[in-house]
């Protein structure tokens, strides 16, 4: 016979985990490279094959920022389009986010802008950085610098990244983590 | 829902469906119903893997639930029967294996249930559908980008071509302008050269007049002296009572001949120095040579030069301006005389020849037996202001060649074997009359 087992829903602080846990969301249109950026950051890996994310993929990476241990819980949200709509509930509890655009597809800037508005409406202003990804595809780059600058008019930082080569990826996550710590103070 | 949670059938059913059922009852603690499947246990640490005394926060080990359970509590608090589904999520278990999961919150007659399901085929099917649709869109975008890139490339090539054509057109325009300027400059230079040549020829004729004035005076002195003698003789015959009238007439007639000779010499001189219109007419080169030699005979004699004429008979006439052609020969002969001034008189030999040069030309050659071409630059000899003489202006041969060329002939210095130097002056047999 099976026995019933009691489970407790406990917050990390209740367990006494000294690690600071921060939920960060990766937002952007589909196929901008959010999953690849997470894989590069968490596992230092890159896979050329495109596999669309369904729902959300959650990863974790521990980092140290300014002598503080930080657990980044990375919510890699499915890209939004006419087939998939990002649940606003996914934003709950987020401490910051990375807004990703694809430098080879100008239309991804509009999606990014709309997502930023939605997360603002849902949870208020949060620390965030903007990633112009696929910087390795120089010949296919179609996004003007002025358009990218319009995405960071709110004072956020812009990073040109390549999940394929790793360029700018660590720097972007590091900048977001510092921003989250600063905003906490 | 279930009458008793220990019901074997229902728990077995949930296990078979890979569904974990958690009953939250009236408190925040959940109760795991039935035996959890292995994939669920791999999310829990070893120490908590045993079922006995399991007390664990789902939110700690299922990161998604940490955010989702507050939504579940809100749903349960609404006190309405029904269900709320979570989205699909993917997490890694403690072995690092990714698992696709979905949760359903149930509220049934006040019971709070959470169902956690491991998604296998459903996840793959859903992803396949979405990915296929997105891949099609991506492919369309990629092709559109390629078309745009190709169009941009073509535009670039077109612009480059247009730019190249514009550059080439500018270059051609510039070249054309430069050519026009060069042509204009050359035409001006040629016109100026012709003007200078004509001036030089006129000046040379005037200079030559000065040079030959003494010779002319000497030549005129003879007929004038003869005229005076004949006239004096005639007067004496007439003074003798008319007895010697016939002899007086004879003396007067002779003086007339000499006067006509003097007039001819003067007429020749006038034609020689006249500038302006140049008339070309059939001219005998042998006659021309003889006239020059006769004119220079006093100088030839004065310099003890042995002048020999080697004239070919029956030569066709050339069409030339006699005075200019004489000037050329005169210059050449005078130069030859001067070239031999340093030689012993016995060695001063001058040969002036005429001959055919091919079918179209007659050649007048002047050969001296002087020091020859040694030390001379034969090309420079014909350049203006080049002279081997202390007092020479260096224009004589330059003008001579200019005259030869204006007759469509030529003048060269020929360093033929043997002593001395030969100048060859060629004139075409047939030349159109021109001004």
């Amino acid at each position: 016979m099976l026995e019933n087992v009691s489970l407790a829903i406990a917050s990390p602080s209740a367990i006494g985990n000294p690690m600071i846990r921060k939920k960060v969301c990766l937002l952007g249109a589909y196929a901008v490279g959010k999953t690849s950026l997470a894989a590069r950051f968490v596992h230092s890996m890159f896979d050329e094959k495109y596999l669309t994310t369904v729902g959300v993929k959650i990863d974790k990476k521990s980092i140290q920022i300014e002598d503080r241990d930080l657990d980044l819980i990375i919510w890699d949200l499915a890209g939004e389009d006419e087939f998939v709509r990002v649940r606003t509930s996914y934003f709950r509890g987020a401490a910051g986010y990375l807004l990703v655009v694809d430098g080879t597809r100008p239309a991804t800037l509009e999606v990014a802008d709309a997502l930023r508005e939605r997360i603002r409406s849902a949870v208020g202003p949060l620390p965030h950085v903007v990633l112009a990804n696929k910087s390795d595809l120089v010949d296919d780059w179609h996004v003007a610098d002025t358009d990218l600058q319009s995405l960071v008019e709110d004072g956020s930082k812009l990073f040109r990244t390549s999940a394929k080569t790793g360029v700018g990826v660590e720097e972007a996550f590091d900048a977001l983590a510092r921003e989250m710590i600063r905003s906490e103070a | 829902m279930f009458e008793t949670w220990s019901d074997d059938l229902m728990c077995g059913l949930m296990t078979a469906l890979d569904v974990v059922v958690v009953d939250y009852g009236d408190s925040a603690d959940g109760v795991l119903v039935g035996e959890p499947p292995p994939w669920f246990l791999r999310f829990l640490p070893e120490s908590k893997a045993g079922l006995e005394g399991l007390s664990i926060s789902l939110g700690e080990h299922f990161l998604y639930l940490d955010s989702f359970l507050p939504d579940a509590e809100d749903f349960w608090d609404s006190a309405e029967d029904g269900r709320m589904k979570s989205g699909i999520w993917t997490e890694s278990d403690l072995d690092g294996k990714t698992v696709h999961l979905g949760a359903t919150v149930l509220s049934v007659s006040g019971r709070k249930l959470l169902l956690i399901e491991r998604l296998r085929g459903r996840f793959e099917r859903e992803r396949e559908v979405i990915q296929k649709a997105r891949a099609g869109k991506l492919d369309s975008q990629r092709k559109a980008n390629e078309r745009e890139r190709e169009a941009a490339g073509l535009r670039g090539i077109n612009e480059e071509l247009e730019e190249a054509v514009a550059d080439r057109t500018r270059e051609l325009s510039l070249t054309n302008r430069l050519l026009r300027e060069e042509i204009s400059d050359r035409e001006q230079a040629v016109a100026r050269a012709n003007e200078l040549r004509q001036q030089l020829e006129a000046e040379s004729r005037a200079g030559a007049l000065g040079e030959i004035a003494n010779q002319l005076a000497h030549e005129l002195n003879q007929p004038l002296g003869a005229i005076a003698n004949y006239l004096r003789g005639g007067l004496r015959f007439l003074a003798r009572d008319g007895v010697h009238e016939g002899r007086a007439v004879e003396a007067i007639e002779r003086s007339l001949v000499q006067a006509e000779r003097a007039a001819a010499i003067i007429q020749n001189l006038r034609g020689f120095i006249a500038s302006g219109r140049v008339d070309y007419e059939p001219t005998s080169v042998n006659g021309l040579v003889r006239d020059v030699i006769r004119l220079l005979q006093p100088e030839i004699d004065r310099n003890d030069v042995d002048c020999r004429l080697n004239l070919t008979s029956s030569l066709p006439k050339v069409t030339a301006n006699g005075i200019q052609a004489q000037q050329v020969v005169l210059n050449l002969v005078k130069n030859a005389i001067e070239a031999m001034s340093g030689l012993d008189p016995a060695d001063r030999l001058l040969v002036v020849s005429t001959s055919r040069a091919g079918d179209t030309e007659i050649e007048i050659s002047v050969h001296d037996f002087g020091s020859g071409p040694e030390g001379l630059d034969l090309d420079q000899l014909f350049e203006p202001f080049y002279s081997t003489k202390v007092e020479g202006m260096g224009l004589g041969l330059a003008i001579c060649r200019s005259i030869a060329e204006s007759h469509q002939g030529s003048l060269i210095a020929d360093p033929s074997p043997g002593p001395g130097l030969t100048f060859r002056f060629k004139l075409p047999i047939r030349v159109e009359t021109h001004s």
Side-chain angles (χ1 to χ4, degrees):
Chain A
M1 287 299 291
L2 297 177
E3 296 180 30
N4 293 341
V5 178
S6 180
L7 298 173
I9 302 172
S11 65
S13 57
I15 303 168
N17 189 344
M19 186 77 80
I20 303 170
R21 178 180 281 193
K22 296 286 184 186
K23 172 180 173 179
V24 297
C25 295
L26 272 162
L27 303 176
Y30 70 93
V32 295
K34 298 181 294 296
T35 304
S36 294
L37 286 164
R40 166 62 66 185
F41 179 62
V42 177
H43 306 293
S44 300
M45 287 170 52
F46 177 77
D47 190 346
E48 289 276 3
K49 188 179 178 186
Y50 169 59
L51 279 176
T52 193
T53 302
V54 180
V56 57
K57 185 171 187 296
I58 301 171
D59 255 315
K60 185 171 78 173
K61 182 168 181 175
S62 300
I63 61 171
Q64 199 172 47
I65 296 288
E66 297 169 0
D67 296 330
R68 298 178 69 177
D69 293 325
L70 212 62
D71 257 356
L72 292 183
I73 310 301
I74 300 162
W75 282 50
D76 168 21
L77 306 185
E80 187 167 79
D81 61 4
E82 64 265 41
F83 307 112
V84 176
R85 182 162 174 82
V86 175
R87 289 167 176 260
T88 305
S89 61
Y90 289 167
F91 303 149
R92 180 181 294 117
Y97 60 95
L98 300 100
L99 201 57
V100 186
V101 299
D102 178 349
T104 68
R105 292 156 57 209
T108 61
L109 272 68
E110 292 174 24
V111 177
D113 210 32
L115 283 169
R116 179 161 55 186
E117 282 309 306
R118 283 183 56 199
I119 195 169
R120 265 186 196 152
S121 303
V123 296
L126 290 177
H128 65 281
V129 291
V130 178
L131 279 64
N133 195 34
K134 305 188 185 179
S135 65
D136 53 292
L137 300 178
V138 178
D139 291 339
D140 294 321
W141 198 263
H142 274 73
V143 175
D145 283 350
T146 50
D147 294 334
L148 288 175
Q149 287 303 322
S150 70
L151 278 179
V152 292
E153 281 174 353
D154 57 0
S156 54
K157 289 182 178 173
L158 171 68
F159 293 87
R160 285 175 183 270
T161 58
S162 168
K164 185 173 183 177
T165 64
V167 168
V169 179
E170 287 279 348
E171 291 84 344
F173 276 93
D174 183 81
L176 178 62
R178 289 175 190 279
E179 192 61 32
M180 289 189 297
I181 289 173
R182 261 196 296 277
S183 68
E184 195 180 55
Chain B
M1 210 54 195
F2 314 121
E3 286 298 322
T4 56
W5 291 114
S6 58
D7 184 278
D8 286 345
L9 178 62
M10 298 310 292
C11 289
L13 182 59
M14 293 296 109
T15 302
L17 291 173
D18 247 1
V19 174
V20 175
V21 181
V22 183
D23 183 1
Y24 278 91
D26 295 326
S27 69
D29 294 337
V31 176
L32 184 64
V33 178
E35 185 179 359
W39 63 263
F40 180 82
L41 295 175
R42 283 197 293 271
F43 278 87
L44 307 180
E46 193 77 28
S47 60
K48 296 179 180 177
L51 298 180
E52 290 292 338
L54 178 64
S55 175
I56 189 167
S57 164
L58 280 180
E60 185 180 348
H61 299 287
F62 291 88
L63 298 168
Y64 180 82
L65 294 180
D66 193 26
S67 292
F68 181 65
L69 284 174
D71 286 341
E73 287 176 352
D74 290 344
F75 179 76
W76 287 322
D77 290 345
S78 69
E80 289 181 8
D81 286 355
R83 66 175 187 170
M84 181 182 77
K85 291 180 76 69
S86 76
I88 295 173
W89 83 92
T90 302
E91 281 196 56
S92 298
D93 62 22
L94 295 178
D95 293 337
K97 184 179 179 182
T98 54
V99 182
H100 310 299
L101 302 164
T104 304
V105 179
L106 288 175
S107 180
V108 182
S109 303
R111 306 294 293 271
K112 303 174 183 176
L113 302 173
L114 173 68
L115 278 60
I116 305 171
E117 178 188 4
R118 183 184 185 189
L119 307 176
R120 297 174 191 268
R122 183 184 143 202
F123 176 87
E124 295 299 338
R125 280 193 301 277
E126 191 161 338
R127 178 155 75 179
E128 188 181 344
V129 169
I130 295 171
Q131 179 147 335
K132 197 173 284 182
R134 287 178 170 174
K137 285 173 62 184
L138 284 173
D139 193 44
S140 298
Q141 285 181 9
R142 199 161 34 243
K143 284 177 181 171
N145 281 349
E146 282 173 7
R147 281 195 297 274
E148 189 184 333
R149 195 162 52 244
E150 285 170 2
L154 284 174
R155 279 198 300 275
I157 290 169
N158 196 34
E159 284 169 6
E160 283 177 13
L161 276 174
E162 284 178 358
E163 201 170 320
V165 168
D167 286 348
R168 190 67 188 133
T169 303
R170 277 195 294 275
E171 283 174 15
L172 285 173
S173 177
L174 180 62
T175 305
N176 192 32
R177 187 162 62 81
L178 292 174
L179 274 174
R180 284 175 187 280
E181 287 176 3
E182 193 174 330
I183 288 169
S184 175
D185 288 348
R186 287 188 179 206
E187 284 174 349
Q188 287 179 13
V190 168
R192 179 65 181 152
N194 284 335
E195 192 180 329
L196 285 173
R197 185 174 60 78
Q198 287 173 7
Q199 284 179 6
L200 282 170
E201 285 172 7
E203 287 171 9
S204 176
R205 279 190 292 274
L209 175 63
E211 287 182 19
I212 66 175
N214 290 331
Q215 296 161 29
L216 287 170
H218 179 77
E219 191 157 341
L220 285 173
N221 193 45
Q222 188 189 8
L224 288 174
I227 288 169
N229 286 334
Y230 286 135
L231 289 176
R232 271 195 295 270
L235 285 173
R236 276 199 303 273
F237 289 132
L238 288 174
R240 293 177 187 171
D241 301 328
V243 177
H244 301 286
E245 184 179 339
R247 296 188 67 180
V249 170
E250 185 184 350
I252 291 169
E253 285 175 347
R254 287 186 177 182
S255 67
L256 184 59
V257 169
Q258 291 301 316
E260 286 173 346
R261 182 184 166 200
I265 290 170
I266 291 168
Q267 183 65 33
N268 197 26
L269 176 62
R270 286 175 64 189
F272 185 72
I273 63 174
S275 62
R277 180 179 167 83
V278 178
D279 295 321
Y280 292 80
E281 56 191 6
T283 303
S284 162
V285 290
N286 288 344
L288 184 150
V289 169
R290 285 195 191 94
D291 287 346
V292 170
I293 296 303
R294 190 165 52 245
L295 193 64
L296 291 175
Q297 192 60 54
E299 188 167 348
I300 291 169
D301 294 341
R302 240 190 346 266
N303 286 280
D304 293 324
V305 172
D306 180 3
C307 179
R308 297 177 189 178
L309 299 184
N310 181 18
L311 308 179
T312 303
S313 60
S314 303
L315 285 175
K317 290 184 177 179
V318 295
T319 303
N321 177 270
I323 299 299
Q324 288 190 343
Q326 276 185 356
Q327 187 179 344
V328 174
V329 178
L330 186 142
N331 257 289
L332 297 178
V333 172
K334 278 174 63 68
N335 284 348
I337 293 169
E338 287 177 19
M340 295 186 292
S341 61
L343 300 181
D344 187 277
D347 297 328
R348 296 175 188 171
L349 175 60
L350 170 65
V351 179
V352 181
S353 307
T354 58
S355 62
R356 282 195 77 129
D359 294 335
T360 59
E361 290 181 310
I362 300 295
E363 180 183 275
I364 303 168
S365 66
V366 178
H367 180 70
D368 66 68
F369 285 78
S371 55
E374 192 175 341
L376 291 176
D377 184 333
L378 297 183
D379 287 332
Q380 277 194 322
L381 280 177
F382 296 96
E383 289 181 6
F385 307 110
Y386 176 83
S387 176
T388 58
K389 294 178 280 188
V390 176
E391 295 178 351
M393 285 180 67
L395 291 172
L397 285 175
I399 292 168
C400 288
R401 175 170 274 183
S402 172
I403 290 172
E405 288 173 351
S406 72
H407 281 73
Q408 297 182 18
S410 62
L411 175 62
I412 61 167
D414 182 6
S416 51
L421 186 62
T422 303
F423 284 86
R424 300 187 186 280
F425 173 32
K426 291 180 183 175
L427 288 167
I429 292 171
R430 288 178 182 172
V431 175
E432 287 182 15
T433 302
H434 60 279
S435 298

